[in-house]
Amino acid sequence: MIIDKPDKLTIIGAGLAGALLATLLARRGWQIDVYERRGDPRVQGYAGGRSINLALAERGLHALRSAGAADAVLDKAVMMRGRMVHFSDGAQQLQRYGRDDSEVIWSVSRGELNIVLLDAAEAAGAQLHFDRRLDDVDFDTRKAHFVDDRDGSRRAHAFTALLGADGAGSALRGQMAEHADLGERFESLGHSYKELEIPPTVDGDFSIEPNALHIWPRGSYMCIALPNDERTFTVTLFLPNEGDPSFATIRSGADARALFARDFADALPLIPALEHDYVHNPTGTLATLYLERWHLDARAVLLGDAAHAMVPFHGQGMNCAFEDCVALAGHLEAGADLAQAFAAFEAERRPNAQAIQAMALENYLEMRARVDDADYLLQRSLERQLAERHPQRFVPRYAMVTFRRMPYATAFERGNVQRELLVDATRGRESLDDIDWAWLDAEVERRLPTLPEET
Ligand SMILES: Cc1cc2nc3c(=O)[nH]c(=O)nc-3n(C[C@H](O)[C@H](O)[C@H](O)COP(=O)(O)OP(=O)(O)OC[C@H]3O[C@@H](n4cnc5c(N)ncnc54)[C@H](O)[C@@H]3O)c2cc1C
């Protein structure tokens, strides 16, 4: 029975999660107002500010399908079959992500994706209000105040409940924290990033393999490159904030050129504007946001980066934010009232957000320091064999996160068991020739219950 359920909700932020949530809710008959700090990107071009392209995986795609937006997004996406590892000696190796082309990820432009979702939200009936930055909230009278940063004007908006999709620096979270202790903790990674660009060749082609996510792992730092549909690549250099090399020591364009000449020699000739972009593009910081409480009774709830910003090394921040949208829409439909729906959403999603946050942190070490190690490669090769021998039980952790939709917490727990098995089975070995398969098969069956089919 549905009781005490209003039909009007207010979303803060029309970024990736805000626009998708608006679509899902408006399609279910809710009256939705969305307030966004920036101008309308469809009118004035995407103002961006953060990563130019993103890896979209099954969780995000599934959410887009439920909003009827998947085809429009995939139309402009570039398929990535695996990691193309660029070794220090110039050799390259494609490490496939999945079994075949049914298990791939997609490089999508943040700006284009945002525009597809804004169109979908509007078509579903949501009211979008641009140039409206949430400034403060009076939770007692349920009035939110918004500022138009173009002229400083302020407007009040009466609300029933606020849904906070306003990103890692969430203003709504700041306002909620004045009413209740949210248990907020930001943990800086101590590494930052800089975006650079590989333009197309003179013939207008991609300059390197387009259907891969390129990685140049170099121990305590790395570069990655994702393809864009206009045949460029966005390169992201991740460096520590301190030490050598770091953003403290690589300061000028000439420093950046010298670093690339030494450590990323095959990438250097592909990035003609390296010096200019290194100096002029902003340095992005990376952190994990832990929050003990995501909602304020029936009045406000947080989702996406506003609730659980994470480091980008599993390519799951947006995918997780999109899963949040589907979960919140479901709880709002099923919940007896808003407070109950928000609490149920938080109870479902918080442990899963914590699990993917932990896996994203672990993946940084794997990407920058492990993908070219001999013991790592041996474990991956055993992992592939176990996945073939036990397809219903042993699914590589990357695949559980990227190609399946089981809860992240389940992927994390099973991944830990699988890692123990791989380490135990390969300890002291240089090849898989003398693996004790009878023991290993029995261990897999004992420790990893059969996974349910996903629909
Ligand atoms: C370098 C990098 C690479 C990444 N790569 C990937 C990847 O490959 N795959 C992946 O899944 N994820 C990736 N992510 C994570 C992904 O970008 C985020 O998880 C995702 O953008 C979260 O969406 P969101 O809607 O919660 O927040 P955002 O996308 O940050 O959107 C927040 C919106 O709220 C608006 N806003 C902010 N403050 C206010 C206010 N006061 N009032 C009104 N509006 C406001 C903002 O303008 C913005 O439009 C990456 C992140 C980084 C930094």
Side-chain angles (χ1 to χ4, degrees), residues 89-108:
D89 64 3
Q92 296 181 26
Q93 183 192 47
L94 180 70
Q95 299 177 357
R96 249 192 184 279
Y97 285 133
R99 285 172 300 200
D100 52 40
D101 280 359
S102 66
E103 293 187 335
V104 297
I105 53 175
W106 301 89
S107 179
V108 296

Side-chain angles (χ1 to χ4, degrees), residues 313-327:
F313 304 109
H314 222 306
Q316 285 289 317
M318 163 191 65
N319 286 282
C320 179
F322 282 178
E323 261 193 344
D324 286 353
C325 296
V326 175

Side-chain angles (χ1 to χ4, degrees), residues 114-153:
N114 204 176
I115 286 172
V116 166
L117 292 175
L118 291 174
D119 284 342
E122 225 161 43
Q127 298 289 319
L128 308 181
H129 310 272
F130 293 97
D131 294 303
R132 298 280 180 276
R133 174 173 57 78
L134 179 72
D135 193 30
D136 59 70
V137 182
D138 185 334
F139 284 106
D140 298 326
T141 59
R142 297 202 188 205
K143 282 231 168 70
H145 295 98
F146 295 91
V147 172
D148 180 341
D149 285 320
R150 294 169 304 179
D151 57 14
S153 58

Side-chain angles (χ1 to χ4, degrees), residues 190-203:
H191 292 229
S192 300
Y193 70 94
K194 182 82 81 176
E195 289 185 326
L196 306 164
E197 194 192 58
I198 297 179
T201 62
V202 281
D203 302 328

